[in-house]
Amino acid sequence: SPPEVTDTGDVVIGFYAPLWTKGVEDSAPYGMVGLGIYASYINDALVGITASENSTAYIVDESGYTIFDSSGQVITEPVNIEELSFTDTKLSDLAELHKKMREGETGSGKAYSPDLSADCFVGYAPIEGTSWNIVVLSHEDDFMAICSELMQMEIIATIVGLLLAISHAVYHGLRIGYAVKTRTKRID
């Protein structure tokens, strides 16, 4: 059910399931069982989901609205990335991934994250037993930093190798030139 605000200001999410006659699914329902969970409980669980130093996680409902995120704040005004992408073209790749999520797909991709203000790697999957999806975004630089460091080390090693090779070639070239010059003077 949609989130409800209690008298104390807490946001509670209700989960309901029918009780079927004789336990046979899709038979006549004879009751219902329900459970209410504080939204802060789900947010706290999301805070612990990280893929890198600069990552974030959130849950999207069946309509594409972000209903929980790892900021620790309870979302009282859900955000729909697909709708926002009509006015902010930076969000078009993320909106396309949200569309795939709502179709029940599991996957990954790259997209701009407004939360991290950067290009990110995105992983997503449906949450079993619900119509929700979990999304984890990680800043691209967190994963590419090691590649950049390795490239810099490789460039430095190549430059050092070239300098050594050039100095070696000049040294031996001068020695050979001196030997040839000395021998040529003797012959004359």
Side-chain angles (χ1 to χ4, degrees):
S1 71
E4 304 223 4
V5 180
T6 66
D7 295 339
T8 61
D10 293 319
V11 178
V12 176
I13 309 294
F15 295 91
Y16 305 96
L19 296 173
W20 303 108
T21 303
K22 297 184 181 181
V24 177
E25 193 170 333
D26 294 329
S27 63
Y30 71 90
M32 179 180 15
V33 64
L35 169 70
I37 295 180
Y38 287 106
S40 59
Y41 175 78
I42 297 172
N43 280 14
D44 291 345
L46 285 173
V47 169
I49 298 174
T50 59
S52 69
E53 184 178 330
N54 299 303
S55 68
T56 186
Y58 60 93
I59 294 176
V60 176
D61 71 6
E62 68 277 358
S63 300
Y65 286 93
T66 301
I67 53 175
F68 301 104
D69 69 21
S70 60
S71 69
Q73 301 295 321
V74 173
I75 295 177
T76 54
E77 296 290 326
V79 175
N80 188 308
I81 294 293
E82 292 174 67
E83 290 175 4
L84 291 176
S85 71
F86 293 124
T87 55
D88 187 350
T89 56
K90 285 184 191 177
L91 299 176
S92 60
D93 291 337
L94 188 56
E96 188 61 34
L97 295 176
H98 274 229
K99 182 180 176 202
K100 290 179 180 180
M101 286 176 222
R102 289 188 305 104
E103 293 170 354
E105 293 183 29
T106 297
S108 62
K110 275 181 64 175
Y112 177 81
S113 166
D115 293 336
L116 298 174
S117 300
D119 288 331
C120 295
F121 293 112
V122 182
Y124 56 91
I127 299 173
E128 192 174 325
T130 71
S131 55
W132 299 347
N133 290 278
I134 186 160
V135 185
V136 179
L137 296 113
S138 293
H139 200 289
E140 189 176 49
D141 290 346
D142 288 354
F143 294 100
M144 299 308 289
I146 188 82
C147 293
S148 297
E149 288 176 23
L150 289 173
M151 284 175 49
Q152 290 172 356
M153 289 173 33
E154 186 176 337
I155 289 169
I156 291 169
T158 300
I159 290 170
V160 168
L162 282 172
L163 290 175
L164 287 173
I166 290 169
S167 65
H168 186 72
V170 168
Y171 173 75
H172 286 292
L174 290 173
R175 286 192 66 197
I176 291 170
Y178 178 76
V180 169
K181 186 177 175 181
T182 306
R183 302 298 187 274
T184 307
K185 281 186 182 179
R186 283 189 195 163
I187 295 177
D188 288 335

